[in-house]
Amino acid sequence: MIRVGINGYGTIGRRVARAVSLQDDMIVTGIVKTKPDYVSMVASKDFKIFVPDKSYEKAFQDAGIKVEGTVENLIDDSEIIVDATPEGQGEKNKELYVKRQIKAIFEGGEEPEIAQASFNAYSNFEEARSKDYVRVVSCNTTALARTLHPLRERFGIKFVDATIVRRATDPNDSKKGPINAVEPSLSIPSHHAPDLKTVMGGLNVSTIAIKAPTTLMHVHAVRVDLEKDASKNDVIEAWGSYRRIMEVGKNSGITSTGQMMDLAREFGRDRSDLYEIAVWSQSVSVQGNRVSYIQAVHQESDVVPENVDAIRSMFDIADRDRSISMTDGKLKIEKRVF
Ligand code: NAD
């Protein structure tokens, strides 16, 4: 059993904690929280609570929540830390991990240089093998790697041009916007293109990012020039054996992210998450070697299975396909076509 500590229990941290606790080969040693809020109140029933340092303890005591110790104590009781603190905090925390000689996973808000390897389960599982510091790439980069990897394997890729319509913020966040504007990122390529190359080395890619006033999902419009001609069926077939890609067809009646997340609720999974990248099969259009498609990305959860697989790769306890199967089995990710 690999002993996993979770530092930062927000959107990503709480989902990774749950996913790890479902696996047969790893357990959660505890989580680090900064405030005794509703999330701490619920989490304290399932996980041991730790705090960044002793100055945080009193607020928890006042709220009647038991604190087991500081992040240092959690590190001492763990073999790896998943750092899901806000963007930039992971870099500060790394000093502590190095000093106490513990492995750590960082998330996509950190710079690639924080880790020895960036990670996506489909495209570069082996690069994290036996490493001490690994970064799971962002939700958008994970989604692009998921659907592009099978196309690169099967047909080769000359060039990718992706437009990313980003959700403004997560559903629990009422501070950020925009709430009535569309905000394009004015640098092209956006930061997603170089990020994608960290897990798909040598890919020729450009990205455009536009923020939209929604919290549910991102939507990507992707154009790919393949190295050889293909048919629409060939492309859909290439995705066919990958469980973390879900094809959504015309008969499903799903034409928006609102319905896509409603479908996820129908699955009845933890937090109504949609770990799979949903491709609208109707949108897949192929002309010669040029493929276009549109996909929807549940930003709160698509990186969760990747965090679990990164742990197995870093401890060298499973190969890619075995790890993915184990993770998917426990998270109830099965090949779904609608
Ligand atoms: P979040 O703000 O939802 O959660 C971060 C949590 O860490 C909060 O509970 C916060 O209180 C806590 N925290 C703050 N300082 C801390 C400290 N010093 N020690 C311990 N905990 C501390 O953030 P998030 O959205 O979960 O993002 C975490 C990381 O995951 C970032 O790198 C982000 O870029 C990345 N990521 C986010 C998403 C997403 O859509 N939310 C998707 C993929 C990757």
Side-chain angles (χ1 to χ4, degrees):
M1 285 290 216
I2 300 169
R3 300 178 64 76
V4 184
I6 309 286
N7 193 8
Y9 191 78
T11 300
I12 301 301
R14 65 179 101 158
R15 289 175 166 81
V16 174
R18 172 84 178 140
V20 166
S21 71
L22 290 173
Q23 308 300 311
D24 289 333
D25 53 354
M26 48 189 88
I27 54 164
V28 175
T29 44
I31 62 168
V32 181
K33 277 289 297 171
T34 53
K35 289 188 276 305
D37 56 8
Y38 68 95
V39 178
S40 297
M41 289 170 192
V42 177
S44 64
K45 308 272 181 276
D46 293 325
F47 300 116
K48 290 182 178 172
I49 308 264
F50 294 79
V51 287
D53 63 57
K54 283 195 169 299
S55 67
Y56 290 83
E57 273 181 13
K58 185 165 181 317
F60 284 82
Q61 278 157 8
D62 291 348
I65 297 173
K66 188 176 176 216
V67 171
E68 303 286 336
T70 64
V71 64
E72 277 95 345
N73 301 125
L74 178 63
I75 291 173
D76 290 345
D77 194 33
S78 308
E79 293 163 278
I80 184 166
I81 296 290
V82 175
D83 188 304
T85 57
E87 211 174 300
Q89 183 63 39
E91 194 186 340
K92 295 179 193 147
N93 294 344
K94 188 179 173 189
E95 247 175 68
L96 186 62
Y97 308 145
V98 172
K99 197 166 135 204
R100 295 186 102 87
Q101 298 186 326
I102 187 161
K103 287 179 187 271
I105 290 179
F106 300 94
E107 302 300 322
E110 305 300 328
E111 296 297 322
E113 293 71 31
I114 197 168
Q116 295 156 298
S118 288
F119 183 83
N120 172 263
Y122 284 167
S123 66
N124 75 337
F125 186 94
E126 291 305 323
E127 283 175 39
R129 197 170 285 287
S130 305
K131 296 281 191 304
D132 290 330
Y133 304 108
V134 167
R135 167 181 166 267
V136 171
V137 290
S138 74
C139 44
N140 280 305
T141 306
T142 295
L144 289 170
R146 284 253 182 93
T147 51
L148 289 170
H149 171 75
L151 300 185
R152 179 145 94 160
E153 286 287 285
R154 175 95 172 250
F155 312 103
I157 289 180
K158 280 189 189 161
F159 180 63
V160 178
D161 192 3
T163 299
I164 299 170
V165 180
R166 304 171 64 187
R167 61 87 181 101
T169 188
D170 289 334
N172 67 345
D173 182 359
S174 54
K175 291 200 186 78
K176 289 187 203 149
I179 58 168
N180 187 22
V182 168
E183 207 178 279
S185 157
L186 299 180
S187 58
I188 300 177
S190 62
H191 70 271
H192 306 90
D195 201 34
L196 186 55
K197 291 182 196 178
T198 66
V199 291
M200 294 187 75
L203 190 73
N204 187 9
V205 54
S206 183
T207 48
I208 290 176
I210 300 171
K211 227 193 254 180
T214 176
T215 63
L216 293 178
M217 300 185 96
H218 306 297
V219 171
H220 297 171
V222 189
R223 198 197 80 196
V224 190
D225 288 347
L226 303 174
E227 274 170 8
K228 48 186 172 201
D229 287 3
S231 68
K232 177 169 174 162
N233 272 350
D234 294 337
V235 168
I236 291 181
E237 213 180 276
W239 288 323
S241 56
Y242 291 84
R243 286 183 295 269
R244 295 179 190 175
I245 301 169
M246 181 175 88
E247 289 117 50
V248 176
K250 201 174 177 180
N251 291 338
S252 69
I254 297 174
T255 55
S256 73
T257 55
Q259 291 154 332
M260 200 68 86
M261 288 315 294
D262 201 35
L263 170 69
R265 286 182 210 110
E266 289 301 303
F267 292 168
R269 291 195 294 215
D270 195 44
R271 294 184 169 89
S272 302
D273 283 339
L274 188 65
Y275 308 110
E276 300 90 339
I277 305 309
V279 179
W280 273 284
S281 35
Q282 217 185 325
S283 75
V284 180
S285 128
V286 183
Q287 284 176 310
N289 71 332
R290 178 163 293 179
V291 182
S292 304
Y293 60 94
I294 300 174
Q295 62 185 20
V297 181
H298 185 218
Q299 77 282 351
E300 295 178 285
S301 70
D302 70 325
V303 301
V304 171
E306 254 64 22
N307 275 267
V308 175
D309 293 326
I311 294 172
R312 291 205 185 91
S313 183
M314 291 167 76
F315 282 89
D316 199 7
I317 52 166
D319 65 19
R320 184 190 85 150
D321 292 348
R322 170 108 184 95
S323 176
I324 291 174
S325 291
M326 288 162 84
T327 308
D328 289 357
K330 295 296 177 184
L331 294 181
K332 301 197 174 76
I333 300 173
E334 54 200 66
K335 186 66 197 175
R336 298 183 202 240
V337 178
F338 289 91

